[in-house]
Amino acid sequence: MTKKLQEKWASSIAAMKAVQVAFDLDSRFQYAIRLAALKEGLSPSDQIRTMLDLPVTTRPKRPRLTVTLSGEDYERLARRYGLAADAQLEIKKKVMQELMEQADLLLKDS
């Protein structure tokens, strides 16, 4: 095995040994941590690491939001936008536009 490959595997082994820890906090504490993370441009996990004075990896993060849509969800959205349910790319474009419009209103209200 080459040295480069051994180094790659060594970092993978270290990552596999990491343990994800979940905290059941009161909703107001969760809100405060999420709000601080949002203000700092961090994930909640990175915010917690920062609060605990632990190192935070600075790898680039894709600025995206996700939602899981079922087949029924696509059917409802297709009706909403006057599209075919299998036109998922067009539905996604319409959803993005609607979300941006609603987000603009939220920003104006705050």
Side-chain angles (χ1 to χ4, degrees):
M1 197 180 293
T2 67
K3 182 170 176 123
K4 193 172 192 175
L5 190 58
Q6 287 174 337
E7 290 172 2
K8 183 178 179 181
W9 278 107
S11 65
S12 296
I13 290 170
M16 289 188 307
K17 290 183 180 182
V19 176
Q20 187 172 28
V21 179
F23 300 99
D24 292 321
L25 297 172
D26 182 270
S27 61
R28 70 186 178 109
F29 296 122
Q30 289 185 37
Y31 176 79
I33 292 169
R34 286 188 173 118
L35 185 59
L38 185 60
K39 287 180 179 177
E40 295 298 320
L42 298 172
S43 68
S45 176
D46 286 346
Q47 179 63 33
I48 290 169
R49 293 186 65 82
T50 300
M51 293 168 71
L52 298 173
D53 199 27
L54 296 172
V56 176
T57 57
T58 56
R59 61 195 145 133
K61 294 181 176 76
R62 289 191 268 177
R64 64 180 185 176
L65 298 171
T66 62
V67 65
T68 302
L69 299 175
S70 67
E72 184 179 317
D73 294 330
Y74 274 108
E75 289 173 14
R76 294 179 82 171
L77 290 167
R79 285 193 301 273
R80 179 183 196 142
Y81 301 126
L83 298 167
D86 63 350
Q88 292 183 354
L89 183 58
E90 291 301 313
I91 291 170
K92 180 180 177 181
K93 289 178 184 176
K94 294 285 190 180
V95 166
M96 285 177 50
Q97 183 62 41
E98 184 174 343
L99 289 175
M100 288 187 295
E101 290 168 4
Q102 289 190 34
D104 275 339
L105 291 174
L106 289 171
L107 291 170
K108 288 176 184 175
D109 288 344
S110 61

